[in-house]
Amino acid sequence: MMEVISFKLNGQEVTLKTDPFRRLLDIIREDFDCKGAKEGCGEGECGACAVLLDGRLVNSCLITAAMAAGKNIWTIEGYRETERFQLLKNKLAEHGSIQCGF
Ligand code: FES
């Protein structure tokens, strides 16, 4: 069963025809070439697949296409272009933060 699903991805309205149970992680990687979110555990434990969904950090391996419909999704590819990310990046660099713990 295929459905037409629309959502906002990195500020752009996108539409695709897909299985409503398909994982958001696979959609953003395979259909929209956003490879920043990665598959680690595939079961919601590691956070390697994290994206912002309506401003909340979620694990995209646990989000279906149907759950993403009508939502505003940001991946690191879009988020890194924002002013907020630039500020954060500059502050992390300024304080010499290079790894976990910051
Ligand atoms: Fe580990 Fe999604 S792949 S939380």
Side-chain angles (χ1 to χ4, degrees), residues 17-62:
K17 191 172 185 181
T18 191
D19 180 337
F21 291 105
R22 192 169 164 221
R23 301 183 314 171
L24 178 60
L25 174 61
D26 299 324
I27 293 170
I28 59 178
R29 288 183 57 85
E30 295 165 9
D31 296 21
F32 298 102
D33 205 33
C34 293
K35 307 280 191 191
K38 312 232 182 314
E39 175 141 18
C41 65
E43 57 187 27
E45 304 249 338
C46 71
C49 63
V51 299
L52 289 173
L53 186 148
D54 284 351
R56 281 189 42 236
L57 194 65
V58 297
N59 294 324
S60 63
C61 68
L62 300 180

Side-chain angles (χ1 to χ4, degrees), residues 10 28 33-37 74-81:
N10 296 327
I28 59 178
D33 205 33
C34 293
K35 307 280 191 191
W74 287 85
T75 66
I76 190 61
E77 288 82 3
Y79 189 67
R80 73 180 169 205
E81 303 301 323

